[in-house]
Amino acid sequence: NYSSKVELASSFNKISKNKLNKKITPKLIEKNLYTSKIPDPEILIRTGGKKRLSNFLLWQISYSEIFFIRKLWPDFKSNDLKKIIKEYRKIKRNFGGN
């Protein structure tokens, strides 16, 4: 029952409860996310042929490379992961820059 929207609302509520007069910044929001001690993912793999994010880690995947594949999760094998990693290595990542 994870919801990225609920996670963000929770972060904002923590900030407003604990930091009444502090300016809200991206770093402050990140510090209050469920994943605050975990690095953001570099790759997101969406199985099942769906081309949507489904309210999943919306803040954390802002610079992730997203791969959509038709296979269902139970059919996803290590060879599929190797192919994705090979493709990922070809990508020039600029994190929002040019």
Side-chain angles (χ1 to χ4, degrees):
N1 282 341
Y2 167 83
S3 164
S4 190
K5 291 178 180 181
V6 171
E7 178 183 24
L8 287 168
S10 173
S11 176
F12 299 147
N13 285 326
K14 284 182 193 176
I15 292 167
S16 67
K17 182 179 176 184
N18 299 324
K19 318 274 186 199
L20 293 175
N21 294 321
K22 192 160 188 171
K23 182 179 177 186
I24 294 177
T25 64
K27 279 200 181 290
L28 187 57
I29 294 168
E30 289 169 2
K31 184 179 175 184
N32 287 280
L33 294 174
Y34 302 155
T35 57
S36 64
K37 296 183 183 349
I38 301 169
D40 290 344
E42 293 184 38
I43 298 173
L44 174 71
I45 301 168
R46 175 63 189 205
T47 59
K50 304 296 182 197
K51 295 203 176 175
R52 65 174 182 259
L53 299 176
S54 298
N55 197 20
F56 183 71
L57 297 178
L58 297 176
W59 182 280
Q60 296 89 332
I61 63 169
S62 60
Y63 291 108
S64 298
E65 300 297 330
I66 304 172
F67 294 84
F68 299 98
I69 63 169
R70 291 194 168 279
K71 285 186 178 183
L72 296 174
W73 175 246
D75 301 322
F76 187 81
K77 305 294 181 212
S78 62
N79 228 22
D80 299 310
L81 179 60
K82 287 176 188 174
K83 286 178 188 175
I84 288 172
I85 291 172
K86 185 177 179 181
E87 284 300 310
Y88 170 77
R89 288 183 176 152
K90 295 177 186 177
I91 298 169
K92 179 186 177 282
R93 303 188 72 215
N94 59 20
F95 301 95
N98 291 329

